[in-house]
Amino acid sequence: MITSKLPNVGITIFTQMSQLAAQTGAINLSQGFPDFDGPQSLRDAVGRHIASGHNQYSPMTGLPALREQIALKIARSYGVQVNADSEVTVTPGATQAIFCAIQAVIHSGDEVIVFDPCYDSYEPATELAGGRCVHVQLNPDDFSIDFDKLAAALSPRTKMIVINTPHNPSGALISRAELDQLAALIRDRDIYLISDEVYEHLVFDGVPHVSVLAHEELYQRAFVVSSFGKTYHVTGWKTGYVVAPPALTAELRKVHQYVSFCGVTPLQYALADYMAEHPEHVEELPGFYQAKRDLFCDLLTPSRFTFSRVTGTYFQLVDYSQIRPDLNDVEMAMWMTREHGVASIPVSVFYQNPPAGQRLVRLCFAKREETLREAAAKLCAI
């Protein structure tokens, strides 16, 4: 008989809702992926590099040209210098980067603090390392960190804190003042930090993304994770990277080399080319997605859903309390998919213990205009 190492883990809600959308023919606003392709020249570059023979293993740490482009982007975006050789590692996706960072430093009995609602990969990775997640709920009104709750959650076993900014599923951003407060709280403790920043370039209304990369004190104990899939509209490429100080990078690479060894070679060549030729892409991304957010929210204004426009990510939370308060959010998501043809994600799945009475679902607006218009028409008819 198999004794499961993850006895409480099943098929994720993201897979379930995408499958239900496919079965029912619903518009899939559940799983976070665009229904449009990445830049044509980026896709063309992949074929060019495959044809030119770039099909064998890349270096374990990532293609040097790509790591250099990452370092240049960080310098342009945040005004800080990182060493492409000793601080940047390319991974097959940001989720793998998070997994390797947790495995690198968490030992049996260690505690990892996560903030609910949180991405679903943090806890299984911690459990596989022999650790235990301690869940701290974000403030329910604006999804900011409750530092009193965080301080109360710290213990001698706390070894890591995971933050996510811009935040999935709420879109909230962590400010510089909050990072300063976090730094003061853990200054005299042996605690590592993962900063999940995969939506770093999807920020709106002129508000800057505050990266841990630019926080000198916190960066010294941090793994900062990002995603090419989110930034370049190619989620299926499963290519990401992690930036950390040399000592932490060395430990992460010890794990990474035995999980996948390296990323996909022609994709790395293509990304390096595109980043060198189009550095403006990341600068234009906030406006690109803000236009989609604004269109979608404008279209939803006549509906019975209530919401505040998100400040980051490509997800919009909507409250359905005025529509079906009798349904919990999982039931609501299923009902919307089956009866009204729009698939969403119930926000309760991001919590260990969801707040009583919360009635929120998450909708992805990384879609073509016609998709958003069709989905909004269905939602307004509810």
Side-chain angles (χ1 to χ4, degrees):
M1 296 293 292
I2 295 174
T3 301
S4 176
K5 296 184 74 173
L6 295 171
N8 299 317
V9 171
I11 297 174
T12 72
I13 190 68
F14 309 103
T15 299
Q16 292 178 49
M17 295 309 300
S18 286
Q19 287 177 346
L20 185 60
Q23 291 166 5
T24 61
I27 299 172
N28 189 358
L29 302 189
S30 59
Q31 200 167 2
F33 61 86
D35 69 346
F36 49 88
D37 268 324
Q40 183 67 51
S41 60
L42 173 61
R43 290 180 283 131
D44 289 344
V46 178
R48 185 171 67 249
H49 284 291
I50 289 174
S52 63
H54 292 143
N55 301 301
Q56 308 310 322
Y57 296 127
S58 60
M60 180 268 287
T61 59
L63 193 72
L66 181 55
R67 287 187 282 108
E68 288 290 348
Q69 287 301 319
I70 293 168
L72 288 171
K73 179 181 77 77
I74 290 170
R76 288 194 302 269
S77 298
Y78 307 120
V80 295
Q81 304 292 325
V82 297
N83 187 295
D85 293 326
S86 62
E87 296 179 80
V88 180
T89 306
V90 178
T91 61
T95 300
Q96 196 254 35
I98 292 166
F99 180 87
C100 290
I102 290 172
Q103 301 303 312
V105 299
I106 297 303
H107 296 261
S108 180
D110 287 344
E111 293 179 351
V112 175
I113 292 178
V114 298
F115 295 99
D116 285 359
C118 71
Y119 184 55
D120 64 349
S121 83
Y122 305 153
E123 187 152 31
T126 299
E127 291 177 351
L128 289 171
R132 183 178 77 90
C133 276
V134 175
H135 293 258
V136 175
Q137 284 198 13
L138 296 171
N139 288 312
D141 53 345
D142 61 0
F143 297 94
S144 61
I145 296 173
D146 185 324
F147 281 93
D148 291 334
K149 288 183 179 179
L150 174 57
L154 293 173
S155 82
R157 290 185 176 273
T158 305
K159 184 59 67 173
M160 176 177 277
I161 297 173
V162 183
I163 62 174
N164 175 208
T165 182
H167 179 251
N168 175 20
S170 75
L173 307 178
I174 295 178
S175 68
R176 173 69 192 212
E178 289 172 307
L179 289 185
D180 289 343
Q181 197 169 352
L182 176 60
L185 188 61
I186 64 175
R187 183 165 295 142
D188 299 321
R189 296 174 179 264
D190 183 21
I191 294 175
Y192 299 104
L193 184 69
I194 287 179
S195 188
D196 179 353
E197 302 184 18
V198 298
Y199 299 100
E200 61 177 323
H201 299 298
L202 280 65
V203 289
F204 314 131
D205 304 316
V207 180
H209 166 60
V210 179
S211 176
V212 168
L213 291 167
H215 196 287
E216 185 176 358
E217 181 178 356
L218 284 178
Y219 177 65
Q220 296 310 310
R221 59 173 80 211
F223 301 89
V224 183
V225 177
S226 195
S227 165
F228 292 112
K230 304 296 191 297
T231 300
Y232 295 98
H233 321 307
V234 285
T235 60
W237 287 18
K238 291 302 295 178
T239 304
Y241 61 91
V242 56
V243 185
L248 292 183
T249 292
E251 292 304 310
L252 175 127
R253 289 173 177 177
K254 290 178 183 179
V255 178
H256 162 67
Q257 68 183 340
Y258 293 115
V259 174
S260 64
F261 181 73
C262 66
V264 179
T265 301
L267 301 185
Q268 294 187 57
Y269 273 98
L271 285 163
D273 286 354
Y274 188 80
M275 291 177 75
E277 295 165 5
H278 297 282
E280 76 282 357
H281 176 88
V282 296
E283 298 166 4
E284 296 170 352
L285 207 56
F288 175 82
Y289 272 117
Q290 183 171 333
K292 291 185 177 295
R293 181 206 65 174
D294 289 345
L295 171 66
F296 190 48
C297 289
D298 288 347
L299 292 169
L300 284 181
T301 298
S303 77
R304 292 198 290 160
F305 293 96
T306 57
F307 56 88
S308 297
R309 298 183 186 220
V310 293
T311 50
T313 77
Y314 48 44
F315 301 115
Q316 177 65 52
L317 296 189
V318 296
D319 188 309
Y320 64 88
S321 298
Q322 298 180 22
I323 301 173
R324 290 295 305 268
D326 57 309
L327 299 181
N328 66 38
D329 60 354
V330 175
E331 294 168 340
M332 182 67 176
M334 298 291 182
W335 179 74
M336 284 171 55
T337 305
R338 292 192 175 103
E339 302 299 325
H340 293 278
V342 179
S344 61
I345 293 292
V347 172
S348 65
V349 302
F350 296 89
Y351 287 86
Q352 182 183 53
N353 295 302
Q358 189 181 73
R359 294 291 184 265
L360 296 173
V361 293
R362 190 195 77 175
L363 301 168
C364 176
F365 57 83
K367 308 296 176 183
R368 293 169 295 152
E369 180 177 334
E370 53 266 39
T371 304
L372 295 175
R373 289 186 179 279
E374 184 181 357
K378 291 177 178 290
L379 293 169
C380 285
I382 299 177

